[in-house]
Amino acid sequence: MSHAPESQPPESSSTDGAASGLDNAKSEIGSKISRSAIIGAIFLMATSAIGPGFITQTATFTAQMGAAFAFAIFASILIDIAIQLNVWRMVTSSGKRAAQLASSAVPGSGILLSILIVVGGLAFNIGNIAGGGLGLNALLGIDPKLGGLVTGLLAIGIFLFKRAGKVVDTVVLILGIGMIILTCIVAIVSNPPVREALRQSIAPDTINFATVTTIVGGTVGGYITYSGAHRYLDSGKTGPENAGSVMRSALSGIVVTGVMRYVLFLAILGVVASGVALDLDTSVANPAGQAFAAVLGDAGMRIFGAIFWAAALSSVIGAAYTSATFLSAFSKRLEGGWPLQLATVSFIVVSLVVYLVLGTAPATLLVFVGGFNGLILPIGLTIFMYIGWFRPRLLRTDSYPKWLLIIGTAATLVTWYTATQSIGPIFAMIGIGG
Protein backbone atom coordinates (compact mmCIF):
# COMPACT_ATOMS: atom_id res chain seq x y z
CA MET A 1 0.00 0.00 0.00
CA SER A 2 2.82 2.34 0.90
CA HIS A 3 4.39 2.16 -2.61
CA ALA A 4 1.27 3.31 -4.44
CA PRO A 5 1.77 7.01 -3.81
CA GLU A 6 5.40 6.67 -4.96
CA SER A 7 4.32 5.24 -8.30
CA GLN A 8 1.80 8.04 -8.96
CA PRO A 9 4.14 10.93 -9.79
CA PRO A 10 5.97 9.17 -12.64
CA GLU A 11 2.63 8.11 -14.15
CA SER A 12 1.29 11.65 -13.87
CA SER A 13 4.50 13.03 -15.29
CA SER A 14 4.30 10.63 -18.21
CA THR A 15 0.69 11.61 -18.90
CA ASP A 16 1.51 15.32 -18.68
CA GLY A 17 4.44 14.82 -21.03
CA ALA A 18 2.26 13.00 -23.56
CA ALA A 19 -0.41 15.70 -23.34
CA SER A 20 2.22 18.41 -23.75
CA GLY A 21 3.67 16.62 -26.75
CA LEU A 22 0.20 16.29 -28.28
CA ASP A 23 -0.48 19.98 -27.73
CA ASN A 24 2.85 20.89 -29.34
CA ALA A 25 2.09 18.63 -32.30
CA LYS A 26 -1.34 20.21 -32.71
CA SER A 27 0.18 23.68 -32.47
CA GLU A 28 2.80 22.80 -35.08
CA ILE A 29 0.16 21.38 -37.45
CA GLY A 30 -2.03 24.43 -36.91
CA SER A 31 0.93 26.71 -37.61
CA LYS A 32 1.70 24.85 -40.85
CA ILE A 33 -1.94 25.10 -41.96
CA SER A 34 -1.92 28.80 -41.11
CA ARG A 35 1.29 29.44 -43.08
CA SER A 36 -0.05 27.41 -45.99
CA ALA A 37 -3.26 29.45 -46.06
CA ILE A 38 -1.34 32.74 -45.92
CA ILE A 39 1.04 31.71 -48.73
CA GLY A 40 -2.00 30.44 -50.64
CA ALA A 41 -3.73 33.80 -50.21
CA ILE A 42 -0.72 35.71 -51.56
CA PHE A 43 -0.25 33.25 -54.44
CA LEU A 44 -3.96 33.25 -55.31
CA MET A 45 -4.08 37.03 -55.52
CA ALA A 46 -0.84 37.20 -57.51
CA THR A 47 -1.76 34.50 -60.04
CA SER A 48 -5.29 35.89 -60.41
CA ALA A 49 -3.89 39.35 -61.14
CA ILE A 50 -1.42 38.12 -63.79
CA GLY A 51 -3.58 35.70 -65.76
CA PRO A 52 -4.24 35.34 -69.50
CA GLY A 53 -6.51 38.39 -69.47
CA PHE A 54 -3.90 40.77 -68.10
CA ILE A 55 -1.18 39.38 -70.40
CA THR A 56 -3.35 39.88 -73.49
CA GLN A 57 -4.61 43.29 -72.34
CA THR A 58 -1.05 44.48 -71.79
CA ALA A 59 0.08 43.31 -75.23
CA THR A 60 -2.98 44.81 -76.96
CA PHE A 61 -2.79 48.23 -75.31
CA THR A 62 1.01 48.47 -75.59
CA ALA A 63 0.70 47.81 -79.33
CA GLN A 64 -1.97 50.54 -79.59
CA MET A 65 -0.52 53.19 -77.26
CA GLY A 66 3.19 52.48 -76.93
CA ALA A 67 4.96 53.99 -73.92
CA ALA A 68 1.84 56.02 -72.95
CA PHE A 69 0.29 52.80 -71.64
CA ALA A 70 2.77 52.99 -68.74
CA PHE A 71 0.39 55.45 -67.04
CA ALA A 72 -2.40 52.83 -66.95
CA ILE A 73 0.02 50.28 -65.44
CA PHE A 74 1.15 52.75 -62.77
CA ALA A 75 -2.43 53.82 -61.99
CA SER A 76 -3.53 50.18 -61.71
CA ILE A 77 -0.81 49.49 -59.12
CA LEU A 78 -1.79 52.51 -56.99
CA ILE A 79 -5.48 51.58 -57.16
CA ASP A 80 -4.59 47.95 -56.43
CA ILE A 81 -2.77 48.98 -53.23
CA ALA A 82 -5.68 51.11 -52.01
CA ILE A 83 -8.29 48.44 -52.77
CA GLN A 84 -6.51 45.28 -51.58
CA LEU A 85 -5.24 46.74 -48.30
CA ASN A 86 -8.78 47.77 -47.40
CA VAL A 87 -10.54 44.60 -48.57
CA TRP A 88 -8.02 42.26 -46.92
CA ARG A 89 -8.15 44.17 -43.65
CA MET A 90 -11.95 44.50 -43.53
CA VAL A 91 -12.68 40.88 -44.45
CA THR A 92 -10.14 39.42 -42.02
CA SER A 93 -10.95 41.84 -39.18
CA SER A 94 -14.65 40.97 -39.40
CA GLY A 95 -13.98 37.25 -39.91
CA LYS A 96 -16.75 37.24 -42.54
CA ARG A 97 -16.74 36.71 -46.26
CA ALA A 98 -17.44 39.77 -48.40
CA ALA A 99 -21.13 39.08 -49.08
CA GLN A 100 -21.89 38.36 -45.41
CA LEU A 101 -20.07 41.52 -44.31
CA ALA A 102 -21.89 43.64 -46.89
CA SER A 103 -25.32 42.33 -45.81
CA SER A 104 -24.46 42.99 -42.16
CA ALA A 105 -23.98 46.67 -43.03
CA VAL A 106 -26.67 47.16 -45.68
CA PRO A 107 -29.37 44.44 -45.82
CA GLY A 108 -29.54 42.95 -49.30
CA SER A 109 -26.25 44.45 -50.47
CA GLY A 110 -24.53 41.07 -50.07
CA ILE A 111 -26.92 39.58 -52.62
CA LEU A 112 -26.26 42.50 -54.99
CA LEU A 113 -22.51 42.03 -54.54
CA SER A 114 -22.84 38.28 -55.13
CA ILE A 115 -24.80 38.85 -58.36
CA LEU A 116 -22.13 41.26 -59.61
CA ILE A 117 -19.29 38.89 -58.69
CA VAL A 118 -21.01 35.90 -60.29
CA VAL A 119 -21.79 37.83 -63.50
CA GLY A 120 -18.28 39.30 -63.55
CA GLY A 121 -16.79 35.90 -62.74
CA LEU A 122 -18.72 34.39 -65.64
CA ALA A 123 -17.26 37.03 -67.94
CA PHE A 124 -13.79 36.33 -66.53
CA ASN A 125 -14.21 32.60 -67.03
CA ILE A 126 -15.37 32.95 -70.61
CA GLY A 127 -12.20 34.96 -71.15
CA ASN A 128 -10.08 32.38 -69.31
CA ILE A 129 -11.40 29.61 -71.56
CA ALA A 130 -10.63 31.83 -74.54
CA GLY A 131 -7.12 32.19 -73.10
CA GLY A 132 -6.82 28.41 -72.93
CA GLY A 133 -7.75 28.29 -76.60
CA LEU A 134 -5.07 30.83 -77.47
CA GLY A 135 -2.49 28.96 -75.39
CA LEU A 136 -3.10 25.64 -77.14
CA ASN A 137 -3.16 27.43 -80.51
CA ALA A 138 0.32 28.84 -79.80
CA LEU A 139 1.59 25.53 -78.40
CA LEU A 140 0.09 23.03 -80.86
CA GLY A 141 -1.36 25.13 -83.68
CA ILE A 142 -4.94 23.85 -83.14
CA ASP A 143 -8.04 26.01 -83.64
CA PRO A 144 -8.68 28.31 -80.60
CA LYS A 145 -12.31 27.09 -80.33
CA LEU A 146 -11.13 23.48 -80.04
CA GLY A 147 -8.44 24.58 -77.60
CA GLY A 148 -11.07 26.33 -75.49
CA LEU A 149 -13.24 23.20 -75.48
CA VAL A 150 -10.31 21.03 -74.36
CA THR A 151 -9.42 23.54 -71.63
CA GLY A 152 -12.98 23.70 -70.28
CA LEU A 153 -13.45 19.91 -70.23
CA LEU A 154 -10.07 19.38 -68.58
CA ALA A 155 -10.89 22.00 -65.91
CA ILE A 156 -14.08 20.09 -65.07
CA GLY A 157 -12.15 16.83 -64.82
CA ILE A 158 -9.48 18.37 -62.58
CA PHE A 159 -12.07 19.87 -60.26
CA LEU A 160 -13.93 16.57 -59.92
CA PHE A 161 -10.76 14.55 -59.39
CA LYS A 162 -8.79 16.38 -56.71
CA ARG A 163 -5.65 14.27 -56.99
CA ALA A 164 -5.26 15.51 -60.55
CA GLY A 165 -5.70 19.04 -59.20
CA LYS A 166 -2.62 18.68 -56.95
CA VAL A 167 -0.51 17.63 -59.92
CA VAL A 168 -1.77 20.57 -61.96
CA ASP A 169 -1.08 22.97 -59.07
CA THR A 170 2.56 21.87 -59.10
CA VAL A 171 2.81 22.12 -62.90
CA VAL A 172 1.21 25.58 -62.89
CA LEU A 173 3.62 26.77 -60.18
CA ILE A 174 6.62 25.56 -62.21
CA LEU A 175 5.27 27.10 -65.41
CA GLY A 176 4.49 30.31 -63.51
CA ILE A 177 8.15 30.58 -62.49
CA GLY A 178 9.02 29.83 -66.11
CA MET A 179 6.80 32.69 -67.23
CA ILE A 180 8.62 35.11 -64.93
CA ILE A 181 12.04 33.99 -66.23
CA LEU A 182 10.90 34.06 -69.87
CA THR A 183 9.37 37.53 -69.48
CA CYS A 184 12.56 38.89 -67.88
CA ILE A 185 14.64 37.47 -70.76
CA VAL A 186 12.39 39.11 -73.37
CA ALA A 187 12.42 42.40 -71.42
CA ILE A 188 16.25 42.43 -71.48
CA VAL A 189 16.73 41.26 -75.07
CA SER A 190 14.05 43.53 -76.57
CA ASN A 191 15.85 46.59 -75.12
CA PRO A 192 12.76 48.73 -74.33
CA PRO A 193 12.90 52.55 -73.92
CA VAL A 194 12.86 52.42 -70.10
CA ARG A 195 13.36 56.15 -69.49
CA GLU A 196 10.47 57.04 -71.76
CA ALA A 197 8.25 54.46 -70.05
CA LEU A 198 9.09 55.86 -66.61
CA ARG A 199 8.37 59.42 -67.77
CA GLN A 200 5.01 58.47 -69.24
CA SER A 201 4.10 56.54 -66.09
CA ILE A 202 3.66 59.94 -64.42
CA ALA A 203 3.24 62.39 -67.33
CA PRO A 204 1.64 60.48 -70.23
CA ASP A 205 1.25 62.02 -73.68
CA THR A 206 -2.32 60.72 -73.74
CA ILE A 207 -4.76 59.17 -71.24
CA ASN A 208 -7.27 56.54 -72.35
CA PHE A 209 -9.86 55.90 -69.60
CA ALA A 210 -11.04 52.66 -71.20
CA THR A 211 -7.53 51.20 -70.90
CA VAL A 212 -7.26 52.25 -67.24
CA THR A 213 -10.67 50.73 -66.45
CA THR A 214 -9.82 47.53 -68.34
CA ILE A 215 -6.40 46.98 -66.79
CA VAL A 216 -7.72 47.73 -63.27
CA GLY A 217 -10.67 45.40 -63.85
CA GLY A 218 -8.38 42.70 -65.21
CA THR A 219 -6.03 42.83 -62.22
CA VAL A 220 -8.26 43.64 -59.23
CA GLY A 221 -11.85 43.50 -60.52
CA GLY A 222 -14.56 40.89 -60.05
CA TYR A 223 -13.68 37.85 -57.95
CA ILE A 224 -9.98 38.88 -57.83
CA THR A 225 -10.85 41.67 -55.37
CA TYR A 226 -11.90 39.13 -52.76
CA SER A 227 -10.01 35.92 -53.66
CA GLY A 228 -6.90 36.57 -51.56
CA ALA A 229 -8.82 37.94 -48.56
CA HIS A 230 -11.23 34.96 -48.56
CA ARG A 231 -8.31 32.53 -48.76
CA TYR A 232 -6.62 34.31 -45.84
CA LEU A 233 -9.65 33.54 -43.66
CA ASP A 234 -8.60 29.88 -43.81
CA SER A 235 -5.47 30.76 -41.81
CA GLY A 236 -7.64 31.44 -38.76
CA LYS A 237 -5.71 34.66 -38.11
CA THR A 238 -8.73 36.93 -38.08
CA GLY A 239 -9.69 39.94 -35.99
CA PRO A 240 -8.09 43.41 -35.69
CA GLU A 241 -5.21 41.99 -33.62
CA ASN A 242 -3.84 40.29 -36.76
CA ALA A 243 -4.15 43.38 -38.98
CA GLY A 244 -0.38 43.87 -39.16
CA SER A 245 0.38 40.45 -40.65
CA VAL A 246 -2.65 40.76 -42.96
CA MET A 247 -1.39 44.07 -44.35
CA ARG A 248 2.13 42.69 -44.86
CA SER A 249 0.76 39.68 -46.74
CA ALA A 250 -1.44 41.84 -48.96
CA LEU A 251 1.44 44.20 -49.70
CA SER A 252 3.73 41.26 -50.57
CA GLY A 253 1.26 40.05 -53.20
CA ILE A 254 0.80 43.56 -54.60
CA VAL A 255 4.56 44.19 -54.89
CA VAL A 256 5.10 40.88 -56.74
CA THR A 257 2.27 41.54 -59.20
CA GLY A 258 3.26 45.20 -59.62
CA VAL A 259 6.83 44.33 -60.60
CA MET A 260 5.61 41.62 -63.00
CA ARG A 261 3.17 44.05 -64.65
CA TYR A 262 5.97 46.49 -65.42
CA VAL A 263 8.38 43.78 -66.62
CA LEU A 264 5.73 42.31 -68.97
CA PHE A 265 4.87 45.79 -70.27
CA LEU A 266 8.53 46.63 -70.89
CA ALA A 267 9.11 43.29 -72.66
CA ILE A 268 6.29 43.97 -75.12
CA LEU A 269 7.13 47.68 -75.43
CA GLY A 270 10.65 46.77 -76.57
CA VAL A 271 9.20 44.56 -79.32
CA VAL A 272 6.66 47.18 -80.44
CA ALA A 273 9.26 49.99 -80.36
CA SER A 274 11.50 47.94 -82.68
CA GLY A 275 8.82 48.16 -85.37
CA VAL A 276 7.13 44.74 -85.03
CA ALA A 277 3.38 44.95 -85.82
CA LEU A 278 1.23 42.70 -83.62
CA ASP A 279 -2.00 41.09 -84.87
CA LEU A 280 -4.88 42.36 -82.72
CA ASP A 281 -7.98 41.54 -84.76
CA THR A 282 -8.07 38.05 -86.31
CA SER A 283 -9.66 34.99 -84.67
CA VAL A 284 -6.21 33.56 -83.95
CA ALA A 285 -4.66 36.85 -82.77
CA ASN A 286 -2.29 36.29 -79.85
CA PRO A 287 -0.39 39.58 -79.48
CA ALA A 288 1.57 38.56 -76.38
CA GLY A 289 2.65 35.28 -78.00
CA GLN A 290 3.75 37.14 -81.13
CA ALA A 291 5.85 39.52 -79.03
CA PHE A 292 7.65 36.60 -77.39
CA ALA A 293 8.12 34.89 -80.77
CA ALA A 294 9.63 38.09 -82.21
CA VAL A 295 12.44 37.84 -79.65
CA LEU A 296 12.85 34.09 -79.10
CA GLY A 297 11.58 32.67 -82.39
CA ASP A 298 9.22 29.71 -82.85
CA ALA A 299 10.50 28.02 -79.67
CA GLY A 300 9.55 31.17 -77.74
CA MET A 301 6.02 30.99 -79.11
CA ARG A 302 5.67 27.29 -78.14
CA ILE A 303 7.02 27.82 -74.62
CA PHE A 304 4.81 30.87 -74.20
CA GLY A 305 1.81 28.82 -75.38
CA ALA A 306 2.40 26.16 -72.69
CA ILE A 307 2.75 28.77 -69.95
CA PHE A 308 -0.22 30.82 -71.17
CA TRP A 309 -2.40 27.70 -71.33
CA ALA A 310 -1.43 26.64 -67.81
CA ALA A 311 -2.26 30.13 -66.50
CA ALA A 312 -5.62 29.98 -68.27
CA LEU A 313 -6.44 26.49 -66.95
CA SER A 314 -5.70 27.42 -63.33
CA SER A 315 -7.66 30.66 -63.76
CA VAL A 316 -10.72 28.76 -65.06
CA ILE A 317 -10.77 26.61 -61.91
CA GLY A 318 -10.01 29.49 -59.52
CA ALA A 319 -12.53 31.90 -61.01
CA ALA A 320 -15.28 29.27 -61.12
CA TYR A 321 -14.74 28.15 -57.52
CA THR A 322 -14.41 31.65 -56.03
CA SER A 323 -17.46 32.88 -57.94
CA ALA A 324 -19.46 29.81 -56.90
CA THR A 325 -18.72 30.47 -53.21
CA PHE A 326 -20.63 33.75 -53.54
CA LEU A 327 -23.74 31.73 -54.43
CA SER A 328 -24.02 30.83 -50.72
CA ALA A 329 -25.63 34.26 -50.34
CA PHE A 330 -28.69 32.73 -52.02
CA SER A 331 -28.61 29.32 -50.30
CA LYS A 332 -26.60 28.03 -47.34
CA ARG A 333 -26.60 24.59 -48.97
CA LEU A 334 -24.00 25.99 -51.39
CA GLU A 335 -21.46 26.70 -48.63
CA GLY A 336 -19.66 23.39 -49.24
CA GLY A 337 -19.89 19.73 -50.20
CA TRP A 338 -21.38 18.38 -53.41
CA PRO A 339 -23.81 21.32 -53.95
CA LEU A 340 -20.80 23.67 -54.21
CA GLN A 341 -19.01 21.18 -56.48
CA LEU A 342 -22.07 20.99 -58.72
CA ALA A 343 -22.36 24.79 -58.80
CA THR A 344 -18.69 25.13 -59.75
CA VAL A 345 -18.91 22.54 -62.53
CA SER A 346 -22.11 24.18 -63.83
CA PHE A 347 -20.30 27.52 -63.81
CA ILE A 348 -17.52 26.12 -66.02
CA VAL A 349 -20.04 24.45 -68.36
CA VAL A 350 -22.01 27.69 -68.85
CA SER A 351 -18.77 29.63 -69.45
CA LEU A 352 -17.66 27.07 -72.04
CA VAL A 353 -20.98 27.06 -73.92
CA VAL A 354 -21.13 30.86 -74.05
CA TYR A 355 -17.54 31.02 -75.33
CA LEU A 356 -18.24 28.46 -78.08
CA VAL A 357 -21.44 30.28 -79.15
CA LEU A 358 -20.21 33.88 -78.85
CA GLY A 359 -17.91 33.90 -81.85
CA THR A 360 -15.78 36.82 -80.62
CA ALA A 361 -12.01 36.66 -81.24
CA PRO A 362 -10.37 35.29 -78.05
CA ALA A 363 -7.93 38.20 -77.72
CA THR A 364 -10.76 40.73 -77.98
CA LEU A 365 -12.78 38.77 -75.41
CA LEU A 366 -9.86 38.73 -72.95
CA VAL A 367 -9.61 42.51 -73.19
CA PHE A 368 -13.37 43.03 -72.84
CA VAL A 369 -13.78 40.99 -69.65
CA GLY A 370 -11.22 43.17 -67.88
CA GLY A 371 -13.19 46.26 -68.89
CA PHE A 372 -16.49 44.72 -67.84
CA ASN A 373 -15.17 43.86 -64.37
CA GLY A 374 -13.69 47.34 -64.15
CA LEU A 375 -17.20 48.74 -64.66
CA ILE A 376 -18.72 46.78 -61.72
CA LEU A 377 -15.70 47.19 -59.42
CA PRO A 378 -16.69 50.57 -57.85
CA ILE A 379 -20.06 49.24 -56.66
CA GLY A 380 -18.48 46.73 -54.26
CA LEU A 381 -15.86 49.27 -53.20
CA THR A 382 -18.57 51.79 -52.29
CA ILE A 383 -20.17 49.27 -49.90
CA PHE A 384 -16.84 48.59 -48.22
CA MET A 385 -15.99 52.27 -47.85
CA TYR A 386 -19.39 52.84 -46.24
CA ILE A 387 -18.58 50.11 -43.71
CA GLY A 388 -15.20 51.65 -42.93
CA TRP A 389 -16.56 55.18 -42.45
CA PHE A 390 -19.86 54.49 -40.72
CA ARG A 391 -19.97 50.87 -39.45
CA PRO A 392 -16.48 50.14 -38.04
CA ARG A 393 -17.90 47.97 -35.25
CA LEU A 394 -18.65 45.32 -37.87
CA LEU A 395 -14.85 45.17 -38.17
CA ARG A 396 -14.58 44.63 -34.41
CA THR A 397 -13.11 48.07 -33.79
CA ASP A 398 -14.38 51.50 -32.77
CA SER A 399 -12.24 53.32 -35.29
CA TYR A 400 -10.96 52.06 -38.64
CA PRO A 401 -7.62 53.65 -39.79
CA LYS A 402 -8.37 57.00 -41.46
CA TRP A 403 -5.44 56.77 -43.88
CA LEU A 404 -6.83 53.53 -45.29
CA LEU A 405 -10.26 55.11 -45.67
CA ILE A 406 -8.81 58.13 -47.46
CA ILE A 407 -6.84 56.14 -50.04
CA GLY A 408 -9.71 53.65 -50.39
CA THR A 409 -12.27 56.39 -50.98
CA ALA A 410 -9.94 58.10 -53.48
CA ALA A 411 -9.56 54.81 -55.38
CA THR A 412 -13.33 54.30 -55.32
CA LEU A 413 -13.97 57.77 -56.77
CA VAL A 414 -11.34 57.19 -59.47
CA THR A 415 -12.89 53.85 -60.47
CA TRP A 416 -16.36 55.46 -60.62
CA TYR A 417 -15.01 58.23 -62.87
CA THR A 418 -13.07 55.96 -65.22
CA ALA A 419 -16.03 53.55 -65.41
CA THR A 420 -18.50 56.27 -66.43
CA GLN A 421 -16.04 57.60 -69.01
CA SER A 422 -15.38 54.23 -70.61
CA ILE A 423 -18.69 52.31 -70.74
CA GLY A 424 -19.17 52.98 -74.48
CA PRO A 425 -15.65 52.07 -75.67
CA ILE A 426 -15.57 48.90 -73.54
CA PHE A 427 -18.81 47.46 -74.94
CA ALA A 428 -17.79 48.57 -78.42
CA MET A 429 -14.94 46.04 -78.15
CA ILE A 430 -17.47 43.24 -78.69
CA GLY A 431 -19.67 45.13 -81.13
CA ILE A 432 -22.29 46.49 -78.70
CA GLY A 433 -23.04 50.17 -79.10
CA GLY A 434 -20.13 52.23 -80.20
Side-chain angles (χ1 to χ4, degrees):
M1 297 284 292
S2 62
H3 64 274
E6 293 175 11
S7 65
Q8 189 65 29
E11 185 177 336
S12 175
S13 175
S14 175
T15 303
D16 289 346
S20 176
L22 185 60
D23 287 342
N24 288 337
K26 286 181 177 178
S27 176
E28 194 173 325
I29 292 170
S31 179
K32 286 182 179 178
I33 293 172
S34 175
R35 283 198 300 273
S36 175
I38 292 171
I39 293 170
I42 295 171
F43 182 75
L44 184 59
M45 183 179 77
T47 53
S48 296
I50 312 177
F54 174 77
I55 295 170
T56 304
Q57 292 155 18
T58 298
T60 299
F61 291 136
T62 303
Q64 292 173 345
M65 300 178 64
F69 182 57
F71 174 77
I73 297 282
F74 183 60
S76 75
I77 293 172
L78 293 181
I79 293 170
D80 198 0
I81 292 171
I83 291 172
Q84 292 288 10
L85 289 183
N86 273 289
V87 170
W88 278 53
R89 180 155 183 160
M90 289 186 183
V91 167
T92 57
S93 290
S94 69
K96 297 178 179 178
R97 297 195 183 275
Q100 296 171 316
L101 179 56
S103 287
S104 297
V106 183
S109 64
I111 292 178
L112 172 63
L113 183 62
S114 296
I115 291 172
L116 293 175
I117 297 302
V118 170
V119 172
L122 184 64
F124 255 127
N125 233 26
I126 294 167
N128 289 333
I129 290 173
L134 279 181
L136 287 180
N137 173 260
L139 176 63
L140 303 173
I142 65 175
D143 183 86
K145 288 274 186 182
L146 177 60
L149 176 62
V150 170
T151 302
L153 293 177
L154 188 58
I156 292 171
I158 289 170
F159 186 80
L160 292 177
F161 300 101
K162 293 184 179 179
R163 287 183 182 176
K166 290 181 180 179
V167 174
V168 170
D169 282 345
T170 303
V171 172
V172 167
L173 179 60
I174 293 170
L175 288 174
I177 294 170
M179 179 60 148
I180 293 172
I181 295 171
L182 190 65
T183 304
C184 289
I185 292 172
V186 174
I188 294 169
V189 175
S190 66
N191 192 28
V194 177
R195 284 188 180 180
E196 180 64 10
L198 291 175
R199 180 187 72 80
Q200 298 223 39
S201 295
I202 301 170
D205 292 340
T206 180
I207 297 176
N208 185 317
F209 290 112
T211 63
V212 175
T213 302
T214 299
I215 211 70
V216 169
T219 57
V220 72
Y223 82 97
I224 298 173
T225 309
Y226 311 99
S227 61
H230 280 188
R231 181 72 177 94
Y232 199 99
L233 288 177
D234 295 336
S235 72
K237 291 189 174 182
T238 59
E241 65 274 13
N242 288 300
S245 63
V246 168
M247 303 283 274
R248 285 191 294 273
S249 297
L251 207 53
S252 297
I254 293 167
V255 168
V256 170
T257 57
V259 170
M260 271 306 297
R261 286 175 205 173
Y262 257 109
V263 172
L264 178 65
F265 160 66
L266 289 172
I268 295 170
L269 179 62
V271 173
V272 171
S274 70
V276 174
L278 303 181
D279 175 14
L280 304 177
D281 301 315
T282 68
S283 62
V284 293
N286 189 347
Q290 290 164 21
F292 279 69
V295 175
L296 302 176
D298 186 63
M301 172 67 93
R302 303 295 176 190
I303 296 169
F304 174 84
I307 293 168
F308 195 79
W309 178 69
L313 181 62
S314 63
S315 295
V316 169
I317 298 167
Y321 180 75
T322 305
S323 300
T325 59
F326 273 85
L327 293 174
S328 62
F330 305 99
S331 172
K332 289 190 175 182
R333 292 179 62 193
L334 294 171
E335 287 183 350
W338 70 264
L340 180 59
Q341 279 193 318
L342 183 61
T344 306
V345 170
S346 300
F347 201 88
I348 298 174
V349 170
V350 171
S351 304
L352 178 58
V353 170
V354 173
Y355 164 66
L356 293 174
V357 170
L358 205 56
T360 302
T364 303
L365 198 56
L366 281 164
V367 175
F368 168 75
V369 295
F372 180 78
N373 279 281
L375 294 178
I376 67 176
L377 175 63
I379 298 172
L381 295 183
T382 301
I383 297 171
F384 273 74
M385 287 303 100
Y386 167 77
I387 293 170
W389 282 109
F390 303 107
R391 302 294 301 278
R393 292 199 173 182
L394 291 174
L395 310 176
R396 298 193 241 176
T397 180
D398 291 326
S399 179
Y400 187 77
K402 289 292 186 291
W403 69 273
L404 278 175
L405 287 174
I406 291 170
I407 64 171
T409 301
T412 302
L413 292 174
V414 169
T415 56
W416 271 116
Y417 181 75
T418 57
T420 56
Q421 294 294 311
S422 55
I423 291 176
I426 286 172
F427 279 97
M429 292 178 189
I430 56 171
I432 299 176

